[in-house]
Amino acid sequence: MTMALHQKFLEKSHSAMLAAIEVYNKPTFSYREETFCILAVNAWELLLKAKLLKDSKNDPKVIQVREPRKLKSGGKSTKHMTVKKNRTGNPMTLQLTACITALEKSQSRADRVPQGVSLNLESLIDVRDNATHFIVASSLLQRNVLELACASVRNYVSLSKTWFDRDFSSSLSLMLPVAFFHGADDVGAVVVTKDEKRLIDRLQATATQAVVDGEYQVAVRVDVRLHRSNLDTAANVQVTRDPEALAIRLDENQLMDAYPWSYAELQAQLRRRKPDIKFNNEFHLIKKSLILEKGLVHSRLLDPNNPKSSKKDFYSPNMRDRILDVYADQAGH
């Protein structure tokens, strides 16, 4: 069975995005950011053309560039249009921005390019078009492009699923390049050229624009966090009062990630695992004994700026597991 024209464009688009990600994921590649943007823009252009073709029942005219027909007199017709040809004589097709404009004419909002996607693509095009103005991308520009790239891949997977019912999530995954692991202070102190600064300012201005459709993003903030490994060579981290120990400080957001459950949520989680559980004196004695264990509960000030403020306990998922372990041990005896 012959593959439909829009499906051919979709497969080619997927291949282009794969190529962009493979280049970006290379451990060392000095032209990483620029190459990703070039290939990703190409992938998106093919994806939007596939959408236009699908909506027009694979009529190739929908993606062709039209121009007024030339008259024998040398002038141009005001009534008749013809396909514009490139230097090799082949029909010229719409560029990415023209594809976005063409899809804007769709009656259904779901068939249009979401605002977040459009702004993200605008930024990728800016990087592509300005690649010749800097020899080596600074770490500041690298970080900006990484956040755009993460959003672009995520948007691509989501929109492919919505428009074509194709799930590319298993094949398209962006890894953090080795060069990304800079300290935040180092990135903020990078000296860039005037040309690069203008580009970075524009990227950041685009990223801060309000987006109506929350599913699609202009840029995705990337926070690198190190988690404990099960490898024997991993360093052990524990709470200590030793003044000579290395200090590791967690901000309030990181603490909430580690201790996400209120007492009510802890009870709800326990009921899911043990529907017959009763929150009686026996339960409270078990919980009270476990609170003494490190890493199971975090007491948070309701007003962090007031040390005398009331406190509220938040629990790690490990608290649920430890409580269930106690009940299991009691049942075994």
Side-chain angles (χ1 to χ4, degrees):
M1 183 176 178
T2 304
M3 184 182 294
L5 184 58
H6 79 271
Q7 292 178 328
K8 293 180 180 179
F9 272 75
L10 178 60
E11 295 302 327
K12 194 172 182 179
S13 170
H14 180 219
S15 297
M17 186 58 81
L18 271 176
I21 291 174
E22 286 180 4
V23 168
Y24 198 85
N25 286 346
K26 288 184 179 295
T28 55
F29 192 79
S30 59
Y31 207 61
R32 180 199 318 275
E33 287 72 28
E34 299 89 337
T35 304
F36 174 85
C37 291
I38 291 169
L39 292 173
V41 166
N42 179 243
W44 273 102
E45 182 177 308
L46 290 167
L47 185 74
L48 299 195
K49 286 177 179 176
K51 174 60 175 169
L52 287 167
L53 287 167
K54 180 186 177 184
D55 292 349
S56 66
K57 298 182 180 180
N58 291 299
D59 182 359
K61 294 180 181 178
V62 74
I63 62 171
Q64 293 175 348
V65 176
R66 320 285 293 184
E67 65 178 355
R69 180 178 296 175
K70 291 183 180 179
L71 303 175
K72 292 182 179 179
S73 60
K76 295 183 178 181
S77 173
T78 57
K79 297 182 179 180
H80 302 287
M81 304 290 287
T82 186
V83 178
K84 187 175 182 179
K85 303 291 182 67
N86 59 23
R87 288 178 295 181
T88 61
N90 293 321
M92 292 183 65
T93 57
L94 301 176
Q95 295 183 348
L96 178 56
T97 52
C99 290
I100 295 174
T101 301
L103 286 169
E104 280 297 315
K105 300 175 184 177
S106 301
Q107 292 184 350
S108 173
R109 183 177 178 181
D111 293 329
R112 303 170 193 165
V113 179
Q115 182 190 12
V117 174
S118 182
L119 290 172
N120 175 265
L121 295 178
E122 180 182 317
S123 293
L124 292 181
I125 292 172
D126 285 337
V127 176
R128 181 200 64 179
D129 292 347
N130 287 274
T132 57
H133 291 275
F134 42 88
I135 306 302
V136 179
S138 69
S139 54
L140 182 57
L141 180 59
Q142 289 173 0
R143 180 179 289 271
N144 276 270
V145 174
L146 172 66
E147 295 177 354
L148 291 170
C150 288
S152 183
V153 173
R154 176 181 171 182
N155 293 342
Y156 184 93
V157 171
S158 296
L159 210 52
S160 297
K161 179 70 174 176
T162 300
W163 282 351
F164 303 100
D165 198 25
R166 289 288 300 275
D167 187 358
F168 294 134
S169 58
S170 61
S171 60
L172 300 178
S173 58
L174 201 67
M175 297 191 306
L176 293 179
V178 175
F180 173 72
F181 290 91
H182 303 284
D185 294 337
D186 294 339
V187 172
V190 170
V191 177
V192 298
T193 64
K194 291 181 179 180
D195 289 338
E196 193 171 358
K197 185 179 185 304
R198 281 192 287 267
L199 173 60
I200 291 171
D201 288 345
R202 178 172 170 79
L203 295 179
Q204 293 177 346
T206 302
T208 55
Q209 292 188 42
V211 176
V212 177
D213 35 65
E215 182 180 356
Y216 302 95
Q217 305 297 325
V218 183
V220 175
R221 180 179 177 181
V222 179
D223 292 322
V224 179
R225 297 182 183 180
L226 303 181
H227 297 275
R228 181 176 176 178
S229 168
N230 291 326
L231 297 176
D232 293 338
T233 54
N236 289 323
V237 178
Q238 62 182 17
V239 179
T240 177
R241 296 183 182 276
D242 184 356
E244 300 299 324
L246 176 65
I248 299 178
R249 297 178 176 83
L250 302 179
D251 62 29
E252 198 63 37
N253 290 330
Q254 290 170 315
L255 286 169
M256 291 309 295
D257 287 342
Y259 304 92
W261 294 345
S262 65
Y263 179 59
E265 180 62 22
L266 174 64
Q267 289 180 311
Q269 293 290 337
L270 284 165
R271 284 196 190 96
R272 291 191 182 99
R273 295 288 186 90
K274 185 177 172 60
D276 63 340
I277 191 171
K278 296 180 179 179
F279 302 108
N280 51 20
N281 288 337
E282 180 187 12
F283 168 80
H284 289 293
L285 286 173
I286 293 172
K287 183 171 79 74
K288 185 177 180 180
S289 65
L290 292 175
I291 285 177
L292 300 176
E293 294 188 15
K294 297 172 182 176
L296 296 181
V297 61
H298 167 61
S299 296
R300 183 185 184 189
L301 292 172
L302 296 181
D303 181 0
N305 295 321
N306 181 8
K308 296 182 179 180
S309 169
S310 300
K311 294 181 180 180
K312 181 178 180 179
D313 288 341
F314 289 86
Y315 300 88
S316 163
N318 292 329
M319 173 62 93
R320 173 200 59 194
D321 299 335
R322 289 290 292 113
I323 291 174
L324 294 175
D325 287 344
V326 173
Y327 278 110
D329 291 341
Q330 290 178 351
H333 291 305

